C-alpha cells in the first residue's frame, strides 16, 4: 500500500512543498509506493504580496491569483475542499464536502494566517486593510478620495504576515501623497504595539530615522483596544486615543481552529521544533510557513525555505533513512521605502538583519521577484 503524504494548504509553502516532493520522489510516486495529496479550500493559489500595491492603483487582486491546478505537478493529487478536523491519533483529516475522511501517514500543516478583525470592537466596521483582496480594494477607494486629514496605520495584531509590510505601506503612502501634492494636507501616523516601530530591533532602528525625516508620526506602546467608527477614533489599552480620517489597520491574525481542536497548538499556530519543523504535540506531523511557530517572520520566503527542508526530511523518511535536513531561520525580504526605491534584508537564527541602502534597483528587484513568483511556486526557481 502506498505511503500517503497529505499537505494541508496550497499557498506558498504547501505548493512549493508539493512540487518539490513530486520532483524528489518521482520514482516512488510513479511506482505507486508514495502518494501525495494537496488539499486547499480555494481552487486558486493566492499570492498575497500583490495586495500591497492595490491601494496605490498599481496592481489588481486578479494579478495575485492563478488556478492551483496549473501550478502543481500532475503527479500530485489535488483536492479542493476545506479540512474541518485533524485527528492526529487516528491520522485522519475530516473534509467539509468530501465523502468521508482522508487517511494519512505523514501530515504537513501549511494553513497560513487568517484575519480576526472581530477581536477588536469596531475594527471590522471602521478599519481598512490591505491584508485581504476586499480590504485592499476598499482602501484604494478611500485613499484615492483622500485630499486632507489624518491617515493612521495601526499595527494591531502581532505576529502578523510580512512584518515589513506596515512600514512599506507608510513609506509608500508618504511618497504617493507627495507625488500628488497632498502631503502637506494629510498627516500620517504609524502605531506599533511595543516600544519601537518594528518587532526586530535592527529593522526598527533603521526605520525610525526615515520616519522622522519624512514627518511620519509614530505612537509606540499602542495596543489597540477598540475603534469607534462614528467618532472616528482608535483607543489603545495604554489609554491613548487617536482621531483618524482614514484608518488602515493590520488586524489581529490567527491560524485555523482545526489546529487548536487537534491539540497541536494555540490560536491556530502549530508548536514545532524550530529546526526540524516537526510538530511538538503529535507524531508524523510537520508544520511550515505562517502556521508554524518558529519565531521567524510570517513571510513567503520563510514558507519557501521551510518547504525545501520538509521535502528533504519527508523524502528521507519514506525511504527509511534518518531525516537530517534542518531549517536555519533563513528569511529574506525586500522592503519598499517609497514608490520607486526599496531596501533588502536577509537574516537567520544566528545573524541579525542589516537593511541595505535603499535603491531603485532593489525596488525593481522586488517587482521582478513578484513577477517570477509563479515560477517559484512551480518549483522552477
Ligand atoms: C500585504 C502582504 C504583503 C506581503 N508581502 C510579502 C513579501 O514581500 N515577502 C514575503 O516573503 N512575504 C510577504 N507576505 C507574507 C506571505 O504572503 C505569507 O507569509 C505566505 O503566504 C505564507 O505562506 P503559507 O504557505 O504559510 O500560507 P498561505 O500562502 O496563506 O497559504 C495557506 C493556504 O491554506 C489554505 N487553507 C487554510 N485553511 C485551510 C483548511 N482548513 N482547509 C483547506 N485549505 C486551507 C488557504 O486557503 C491558503 O491557500 C505578505 C503578506 C501580505 C498580506
Amino acid at each position: 500500500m502506498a505511503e500517503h503524504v497529505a499537505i494541508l494548504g496550497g499557498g506558498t509553502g504547501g505548493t512549493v512543498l508539493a512540487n518539490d516532493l513530486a520532483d524528489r520522489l518521482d520514482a516512488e510516486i510513479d511506482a505507486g509506493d508514495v502518494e501525495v495529496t494537496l488539499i486547499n479550500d480555494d481552487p486558486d493559489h493566492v499570492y498575497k504580496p500583490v495586495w500591497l500595491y492595490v491601494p496605490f492603483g498599481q496592481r489588481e487582486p486578479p494579478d495575485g491569483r492563478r488556478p492551483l491546478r496549473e501550478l502543481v505537478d500532475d503527479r500530485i493529487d489535488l483536492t479542493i475542499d476545506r479540512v474541518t478536523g485533524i485527528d492526529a491519533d487516528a491520522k485522519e483529516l475530516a473534509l467539509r464536502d468530501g465523502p468521508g475522511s482522508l487517511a494519512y501517514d505523514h501530515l504537513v500543516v501549511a494553513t497560513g494566517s487568517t484575519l480576526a478583525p472581530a477581536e477588536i470592537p469596531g475594527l471590522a466596521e471602521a478599519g481598512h486593510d490591505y491584508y485581504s483582496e476586499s480590504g485592499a480594494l476598499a482602501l484604494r477607494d478611500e485613499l484615492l478620495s483622500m485630499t486632507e486629514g489624518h491617515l493612521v496605520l495601526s499595527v494591531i495584531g502581532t505576529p502578523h504576515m510580512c512584518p515589513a509590510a506596515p512600514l512599506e505601506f507608510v513609506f509608500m503612502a508618504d511618497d504617493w501623497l507627495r507625488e500628488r501634492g497632498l502631503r502637506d494636507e494629510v498627516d500620517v501616523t504609524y502605531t506599533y504595539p511595543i516600544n519601537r516601530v518594528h518587532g526586530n530591533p535592527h529593522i526598527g532602528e533603521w526605520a525610525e530615522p526615515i520616519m522622522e525625516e519624512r514627518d511620519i508620526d509614530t505612537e509606540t506602546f499602542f495596543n489597540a483596544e477598540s475603534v469607534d467608527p462614528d467618532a472616528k477614533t482608535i483607543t489603545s489599552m495604554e489609554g491613548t486615543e487617536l482621531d483618524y480620517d482614514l484608518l488602515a489597520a493590520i488586524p489581529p491574525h490567527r491560524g485555523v481552529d482545526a489546529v487548536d481542536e487537534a491539540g497541536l497548538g494555540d490560536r491556530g499556530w502549530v508548536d514545532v521544533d524550530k529546526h526540524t519543523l516537526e510538530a511538538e504535540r503529535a507524531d508524523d506531523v510537520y508544520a511550515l510557513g505562517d502556521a508554524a511557530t518558529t519565531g521567524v517572520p510570517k513571510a513567503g520566503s520563510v514558507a519557501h525555505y521551510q518547504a525545501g527542508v520538509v521535502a528533504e526530511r519527508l523524502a528521507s523518511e519514506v525511504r527509511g533513512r534518518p531525516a537530517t535536513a534542518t531549517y536555519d531561520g533563513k528569511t529574506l525580504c525586500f522592503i519598499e521605502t517609497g514608490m520607486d526605491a526599496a531596501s533588502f534584508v536577509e537574516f537567520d537564527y544566528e545573524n541579525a538583519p542589516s537593511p541595505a541602502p535603499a535603491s531603485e534597483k532593489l525596488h525593481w528587484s522586488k517587482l521582478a521577484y513578484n513577477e517570477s513568483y509563479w515560477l517559484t511556486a512551480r518549483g522552477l526557481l
Side-chain angles (χ1 to χ4, degrees), residues 104-122:
Y104 66 82
D105 298 296
H106 305 270
L107 173 66
V108 184
V109 180
T111 39
S113 302
T114 309
L115 304 183
E119 290 181 8
I120 304 294

Side-chain angles (χ1 to χ4, degrees), residues 7-16 39-42 44-53 68 79-86 94-95 109-115 129-132 136 160-166 168 250 253 255-258 288-292 297-304 306 331-336 366 369-370 373:
I7 305 169
L8 173 42
T12 298
T15 302
V16 172
I39 310 139
N40 197 55
D41 56 2
D42 187 331
D44 281 349
H45 177 95
V46 177
Y47 180 55
K48 298 173 176 178
V50 158
W51 300 339
L52 173 66
Y53 301 90
L68 192 50
T79 298
I80 304 302
D81 206 337
R82 183 155 180 91
V83 169
T84 51
I86 302 168
L95 301 175
V109 180
T111 39
S113 302
T114 309
L115 304 183
D129 71 76
Y130 52 95
Y131 269 51
S132 62
H160 62 80
M161 289 178 275
C162 193
E168 293 184 288
I250 313 302
H253 283 37
V256 296
D257 292 343
L288 57 79
D290 289 5
K298 295 196 182 299
S301 62
V302 167
H304 180 178
Q306 292 181 342
T331 307
L332 191 146
C333 190
F334 291 98
I335 308 175
E336 297 282 18
K366 175 157 180 153
Y369 179 79
N370 284 343
Y373 170 76

Side-chain angles (χ1 to χ4, degrees), residues 75-370:
R75 282 166 292 187
I76 303 297
D77 298 325
L78 179 61
T79 298
I80 304 302
D81 206 337
R82 183 155 180 91
V83 169
T84 51
I86 302 168
D87 186 335
D89 296 323
K91 294 192 167 183
E92 278 180 1
L93 302 175
L95 301 175
R96 183 186 54 200
D97 307 324
S101 53
L102 191 87
Y104 66 82
D105 298 296
H106 305 270
L107 173 66
V108 184
V109 180
T111 39
S113 302
T114 309
L115 304 183
E119 290 181 8
I120 304 294
L123 181 60
E125 303 93 281
H128 294 82
D129 71 76
Y130 52 95
Y131 269 51
S132 62
E133 288 183 349
S134 57
L137 284 171
L139 184 56
R140 177 176 71 187
D141 293 345
E142 293 290 330
L143 208 52
L144 271 175
S145 59
M146 187 173 202
T147 51
E148 59 179 3
H150 191 195
L151 168 64
V152 174
L153 181 290
S154 185
V155 178
I156 296 183
T158 55
H160 62 80
M161 289 178 275
C162 193
L167 294 174
E168 293 184 288
F169 180 83
V170 285
F171 292 154
M172 289 168 78
D174 166 68
D175 205 6
W176 190 75
L177 290 164
R178 281 180 207 280
E179 279 174 7
R180 302 175 73 223
L182 294 170
R183 187 61 176 93
D184 288 341
E185 271 65 56
V186 180
D187 293 325
V188 180
T189 299
Y190 172 98
T191 85
Y192 203 74
I194 59 170
N195 193 21
R196 51 179 185 255
V197 298
H198 193 272
N200 186 295
H202 304 277
I203 297 177
E205 267 171 37
W206 164 81
E208 251 168 66
I210 304 178
M211 289 175 149
E212 237 178 84
E213 192 185 298
R214 299 202 194 163
D215 286 330
I216 298 167
D217 295 328
T218 55
E219 283 284 342
T220 53
F221 266 139
F222 188 98
N223 287 278
E225 188 170 43
S226 63
V227 180
D228 184 334
D230 300 322
K232 291 199 159 197
T233 55
I234 176 166
T235 307
S236 74
M237 287 175 197
E238 292 77 11
T240 312
E241 186 179 279
L242 281 179
D243 293 326
Y244 67 82
D245 293 291
L246 175 56
L247 175 64
I250 313 302
H253 283 37
R254 47 181 307 132
V256 296
D257 292 343
V259 162
D260 292 15
E261 288 156 14
L264 293 172
D266 301 310
R267 281 188 69 84
W269 315 127
V270 182
D271 290 336
V272 295
D273 178 292
K274 69 177 193 172
H275 296 289
T276 66
L277 306 172
E278 288 171 320
E280 288 179 339
R281 305 197 204 171
D283 293 331
D284 298 316
V285 178
Y286 284 99
L288 57 79
D290 289 5
T293 49
T294 46
V296 293
K298 295 196 182 299
S301 62
V302 167
H304 180 178
Y305 294 127
Q306 292 181 342
V309 171
V310 173
E312 208 176 319
R313 292 184 68 86
L314 281 172
S316 300
E317 285 172 23
V318 301
R319 289 172 182 152
R321 297 183 195 146
T324 54
T326 52
Y327 173 61
D328 62 1
K330 187 169 178 184
T331 307
L332 191 146
C333 190
F334 291 98
I335 308 175
E336 297 282 18
T337 54
M339 297 309 290
D340 50 18
S343 174
F344 173 80
V345 285
E346 190 175 0
F347 52 100
D348 57 37
Y349 291 140
E350 303 295 328
N351 300 291
S354 171
S359 69
E360 197 174 341
K361 193 171 144 197
L362 285 172
H363 163 71
W364 283 105
S365 301
K366 175 157 180 153
L367 296 190
Y369 179 79
N370 284 343

